[in-house]
Amino acid sequence: QVQLVESGGGLVQAGGSLRLSCAASGRTFSIDRMGWFRQAPGKEREFVAAISRTGGNTYYADSVKGRFTISRDNAKNTVYLHMNSLKPEDTAVYYCATAGTLTRYDYWGQGTQVTVSS
């Protein structure tokens, strides 16, 4: 089992920045990819960003490219999401998740709310 705890959400004005953190514990040696997803009210959960085990490969949804940056610190078993130039449409609950080498994202955090006011 892997336990994930997100932090760093909050209320910010449009154009502002936030940094989300997600700390993993438990069977962290099994973690390969780490990712961020979000779910806005009335919408399905969507992919935001992901990062490979070494951090050498990163992936982003088109809607956040150039504004969000994902990074990870394996020594701390933590993944970060740096969010800049935030827009009201970025408002959502943000979840981190982890995947093993041969598995889909199978562990999820409890989520952290991000609200961007116009």
Side-chain angles (χ1 to χ4, degrees):
Q1 295 281 346
V2 173
Q3 294 79 42
L4 301 170
V5 178
E6 300 104 332
S7 61
L11 174 64
V12 64
Q13 288 188 330
S17 300
L18 281 175
R19 187 186 77 163
L20 305 183
S21 301
C22 175
S25 60
R27 294 172 59 89
T28 57
F29 61 85
S30 68
I31 297 173
D32 182 48
R33 302 180 307 285
M34 302 185 81
W36 288 95
F37 295 76
R38 67 187 182 186
Q39 187 167 21
K43 295 187 177 181
E44 293 187 352
R45 186 170 58 194
E46 64 176 2
F47 168 78
V48 175
I51 188 166
S52 61
R53 178 188 289 271
T54 63
N57 293 303
T58 56
Y59 312 88
Y60 297 95
D62 288 343
S63 59
V64 306
K65 278 181 182 177
R67 299 188 299 121
F68 292 10
T69 302
I70 189 170
S71 62
R72 67 190 285 177
D73 183 338
N74 288 335
K76 297 181 179 179
N77 294 312
T78 300
V79 62
Y80 304 96
L81 186 67
H82 304 258
M83 306 185 294
N84 296 319
S85 302
L86 283 161
K87 304 174 181 180
E89 50 264 43
D90 294 317
T91 295
V93 177
Y94 283 70
Y95 299 90
C96 73
T98 63
T101 305
L102 300 176
T103 65
R104 295 185 174 185
Y105 289 97
D106 46 9
Y107 294 105
W108 296 80
Q110 81 288 351
T112 185
Q113 177 71 47
V114 171
T115 303
V116 184
S117 63
S118 57

